[in-house]
Amino acid sequence: MKKDVIQQTKAFVYQRFQHDSTGHDYAHMERVAKMSHYIAKKEDADPFLAEIAGWLHDVADSKLTDDPKQAEVELRSFLESLYLTEEQITVIMSAIETVSFRKGKQPNSVIGQVVQDADRLDAIGAIGIARAFSFGGNRENTIYSESSEQKNQSTIQHFYDKLLRLKDQLHTNTAKQIAKERHLYMEGFLNQFFQEWDFLKKDE
Ligand code: ADP
Ligand code: NI
């Protein structure tokens, strides 16, 4: 039964995200789903509900769909078509509502915390770096710029605005542990980036 629910969820997500080029593709949904399962298991939360919420966490996101309200309606009727109780649907829906770090909402359930942590872990480390430049390129932002008006639009600036702060905004100990290495990797990347950026400056 649980296997069927997961299968149908994957198909629903695949249909919506297979063509994404902003770093919110099917593979992002799969990583967040699996990481949610992993964290939930370690934290004694329900891995099944965490995984479903992980698969679906970006379905009604305003930056990924033209009509988030409609996406939310479709999401609810999809969940109602599965073998889930009303209580399980409520837990999944409320976790999805609070996951986005842009909206700055605080999850009010453990499942919400787990999925938010899983989504944040996917925004840091090597994969997080790749996703940031993919997102920035899609938005036609520069990689980096020293001029003050362009600087704020650059993907490198996004590391300072958001990505380097994420490790201190995690809820679960499991995610905090995983984040340590990924955070250090981003710091190393930025050091190397600026070393290369400044390499020829000494000869100017
Ligand atoms: P959420 O999906 O939680 O609402 P965001 O849309 O802000 O959060 O971020 C999701 C992904 O998009 C992250 O990997 C993040 O790095 C990337 N992203 C968001 N805004 C930018 C930006 N201005 N420049 C580069 N990457 C960004
Ligand atoms: Ni996401």
Side-chain angles (χ1 to χ4, degrees):
M1 197 77 87
K2 285 185 177 176
K3 244 184 160 168
D4 283 353
V5 172
I6 301 276
Q7 265 329 101
Q8 289 181 56
T9 305
K10 281 183 183 177
F12 180 82
V13 169
Y14 186 74
Q15 183 213 336
R16 275 153 195 271
F17 293 103
Q18 58 180 318
H19 299 303
D20 177 275
S21 59
T22 69
H24 296 83
D25 52 11
Y26 180 77
H28 167 64
M29 308 311 154
E30 183 165 33
R31 285 191 303 270
V32 173
K34 294 196 167 155
M35 186 63 89
S36 298
H37 185 108
Y38 177 87
I39 298 172
K41 216 166 164 184
K42 296 247 174 204
E43 300 281 332
D44 283 328
D46 184 333
F48 172 66
L49 289 186
E51 181 171 344
I52 302 284
W55 276 109
L56 296 167
H57 78 280
D58 272 333
V59 165
D61 191 307
S62 57
K63 71 182 172 310
L64 302 174
T65 165
D66 299 333
D67 193 346
K69 278 274 155 262
Q70 177 60 22
E72 208 176 306
V73 170
E74 284 170 24
L75 175 59
R76 173 161 268 285
S77 67
F78 169 69
L79 289 171
E80 283 167 357
S81 76
L82 303 173
Y83 274 102
L84 294 170
T85 63
E86 190 51 40
E87 202 180 319
Q88 288 178 314
I89 294 177
T90 305
V91 171
I92 294 168
M93 288 299 287
S94 92
I96 293 171
E97 249 170 64
T98 53
V99 70
S100 170
F101 53 74
R102 241 168 347 99
K103 288 180 244 155
K105 287 192 187 167
Q106 282 299 325
N108 52 16
S109 73
V110 185
I111 300 294
Q113 292 185 336
V114 165
V115 179
Q116 193 173 64
D117 278 4
D119 193 34
R120 287 172 170 176
L121 285 177
D122 211 53
I124 62 176
I127 289 179
I129 294 171
R131 291 184 67 221
F133 286 99
S134 168
F135 188 101
N138 191 278
R139 283 275 169 97
E140 301 188 1
N141 292 343
T142 53
I143 292 173
Y144 177 63
S145 169
E146 288 177 14
S147 89
S148 53
E149 72 269 24
Q150 278 211 355
K151 189 177 170 183
N152 292 337
Q153 291 289 332
S154 76
T155 300
I156 290 291
Q157 185 58 36
H158 182 64
F159 285 78
Y160 296 96
D161 292 343
K162 204 155 9 170
L163 303 182
L164 291 171
R165 297 177 183 182
L166 288 177
K167 79 165 180 19
D168 295 324
Q169 295 171 10
L170 298 167
H171 308 282
T172 64
N173 284 332
T174 306
K176 285 177 194 169
Q177 209 50 39
I178 298 169
K180 281 184 191 165
E181 189 190 9
R182 297 186 184 194
H183 183 87
L184 281 175
Y185 190 83
M186 284 196 298
E187 286 184 331
F189 165 76
L190 289 167
N191 280 338
Q192 177 73 16
F193 182 93
F194 285 112
Q195 214 172 303
E196 293 176 19
W197 188 272
D198 292 337
F199 181 70
L200 296 172
K201 281 199 174 153
K202 51 187 176 296
D203 294 332
E204 272 171 11

